[in-house]
Amino acid sequence: MRQFPFTRLRRNRKTDWSRRLVAEHQISPSDLIQPIFIIDGKNQIEDIPSMPGVKRLSIDNMIKLAKEAKSLGIPAIALFPKLDNSLKDEKGSEALNENNLICRAIKELKDKVPDIGVIADIALDPYTSHGHDGVLDEKGNILNDETLDILIEQSLIIAHAGCDVLAPSDMMDGRIKEIRAILESEGLINTQILAYAAKYASSFYGPFRDAVGSKSLLGASDKKTYQMDIANSDEALVEVELDIEEGADMVMVKPGLPYLDIIRRIKDNYNIPIFAYQVSGEYSLIKLGAQAGIIDEQKAFLETMLCFKRAGCNGIFTYAAMDIVKFF
Ligand code: PBG
């Protein structure tokens, strides 16, 4: 039995050196993934009003940012294309154009910044005129198996462009298995799959949908028939188990901070690398809170990163990744 005064937990907390010595977790640049929004054109930079400090960049400017991320020790970046609405249609056809924005960006990156990991979403929402991640029937139902047929083609195109990690974020059933199978059949045996395994139908994605231009297209429609119910936790373990069986190399929980319990349950039950996505709404709340003077931005971001590590994450997607490294 630990009894006062023989046990005084404050002894170890007394000095900075001692606190550092007994700290159970640390955060380093190797834990962070920087998402980047890309647009067409040359030397373009666009603000995203609902995400202070985050820009949409043309490929040339994205390359500069990727070089900086690399020099800061960040292992990987995640690319998200924002297309002109004129390129969007019901089926997300532009996703299957081998020369589309994301493929051009990946090729350029592999050429100019070969040592940084490149992660790309597999989903149709940047490409569809309705803003959903899959294709719809005439009643507006999101069709699982018809969507899979498109997603496997999208996966092949992105993998052939040189992408290191495919990150299916669509939440269709069975997609990891089909994507793994087609990659293997094409000899793309080293292309990794990071499954957005437990992705919830969250209200924290709003600023991202602004950033990729799907918010107004979605209108009042939501993603509750494919993304997980926020009330569920056991079900997240089923999602993870299936994705591991189907061939995922890594899994993701999304959003991040409100779902630390899910991260911890996965960590306790499976041996697979786990990532959290500190999503756009979480990012913007901290930024706007700091701008309003009610929170210290640096401390808040660093705290959230340690929380993710404590919960059991190997790494974190965060729009603040490059800033956080500069806060160390
Ligand atoms: C789309 C996708 C979303 C995010 C990543 N990929 C949005 C959505 O599911 O509607 C959200 C990221 C964020 O909010 O930062 N498949």
Side-chain angles (χ1 to χ4, degrees):
M1 273 295 274
R2 290 173 168 172
Q3 274 185 356
F4 182 81
F6 303 101
T7 303
R8 287 180 186 265
L9 291 176
R10 290 184 59 190
R11 281 189 205 112
N12 284 346
R13 294 180 199 147
K14 190 164 172 284
T15 54
D16 178 62
W17 66 261
S18 177
R19 288 192 295 272
R20 285 195 283 127
L21 206 56
V22 302
E24 296 173 38
H25 297 283
Q26 280 176 7
I27 177 88
S28 90
S30 303
D31 298 315
L32 304 177
I33 293 160
Q34 177 72 55
I36 305 177
F37 295 106
I38 48 173
I39 47 174
D40 250 313
K42 286 216 164 60
N43 199 19
Q44 299 295 308
I45 300 181
E46 286 176 7
D47 285 329
I48 305 162
S50 56
M51 298 185 76
V54 179
K55 317 274 181 194
R56 300 186 193 97
L57 303 174
S58 51
I59 293 177
D60 47 354
N61 284 327
M62 178 274 288
I63 296 288
K64 285 185 202 151
L65 198 71
K67 284 183 178 158
E68 196 191 336
K70 166 91 183 77
S71 71
L72 289 169
I74 289 178
I77 59 175
L79 297 178
F80 294 96
K82 152 87 163 62
L83 268 57
D84 199 80
N85 278 350
S86 64
L87 286 171
K88 302 186 184 186
D89 63 20
E90 288 275 310
K91 287 189 155 18
S93 311
E94 179 65 9
L96 303 188
N97 170 2
E98 288 171 21
N99 203 28
N100 66 16
L101 177 60
I102 185 91
C103 291
R104 280 182 278 123
I106 293 167
K107 285 179 199 149
E108 191 82 0
L109 255 173
K110 284 288 131 193
D111 187 35
K112 303 260 168 63
V113 203
D115 314 328
I116 199 157
V118 181
I119 304 173
D121 250 36
I122 301 300
L124 298 180
D125 57 312
Y127 305 98
T128 51
S129 47
H130 41 72
H132 279 290
D133 295 34
V135 289
L136 318 177
D137 67 11
E138 53 299 334
K139 291 194 184 122
N141 299 310
I142 286 87
L143 298 167
N144 196 86
D145 300 11
E146 290 75 357
T147 299
L148 286 188
D149 292 338
I150 305 175
L151 294 180
I152 61 175
E153 290 298 319
Q154 181 186 29
S155 299
L156 265 190
I157 286 170
I158 289 181
H160 276 306
C163 186
D164 299 294
V165 183
L166 305 185
S169 72
D170 54 289
M171 291 300 279
M172 296 300 121
D173 287 321
R175 84 267 211 230
I176 303 301
K177 185 177 177 190
E178 300 226 345
I179 293 170
R180 188 71 264 163
I182 200 153
L183 291 174
E184 294 295 312
S185 74
E186 293 258 335
L188 293 157
I189 61 165
N190 290 320
T191 305
Q192 291 152 273
I193 299 180
L194 166 53
Y196 283 70
K199 177 172 179 180
Y200 287 86
S202 169
S203 54
F204 287 91
Y205 305 147
F208 174 96
R209 292 179 187 169
D210 280 336
V212 300
S214 67
K215 194 178 194 169
S216 55
L217 303 175
L218 276 169
S221 166
D222 62 46
K223 301 193 177 183
K224 288 182 183 167
T225 70
Y226 47 110
Q227 298 180 346
M228 277 187 61
D229 188 332
I230 56 176
N232 295 353
S233 163
D234 295 346
E235 189 188 353
L237 298 191
V238 182
E239 285 283 3
V240 168
E241 187 172 314
L242 285 172
D243 285 352
I244 295 174
E245 279 171 15
E246 291 180 21
D249 302 290
M250 309 173 252
V251 294
M252 166 109 81
V253 174
K254 182 181 170 197
L257 224 47
Y259 296 82
L260 293 183
D261 57 320
I262 309 297
I263 295 168
R264 173 43 63 183
R265 285 193 74 187
I266 298 171
K267 179 74 179 167
D268 287 342
N269 283 283
Y270 298 100
N271 295 314
I272 188 158
I274 306 168
F275 291 82
Y277 201 136
Q278 179 172 57
V279 299
S280 55
E282 298 176 71
Y283 167 86
S284 294
L285 285 174
I286 294 175
K287 287 297 264 196
L288 293 171
Q291 282 181 9
I294 58 169
I295 202 169
D296 181 303
E297 178 179 332
Q298 296 195 8
K299 287 183 184 155
F301 274 121
L302 286 170
E303 181 173 339
T304 58
M305 292 303 112
L306 265 181
C307 295
F308 286 118
K309 294 289 288 188
R310 200 191 59 228
C313 280
N314 295 76
I316 305 110
F317 285 63
T318 173
Y319 299 97
M322 292 171 66
D323 292 336
I324 289 170
V325 174
K326 294 172 196 160
F327 299 158
F328 286 163

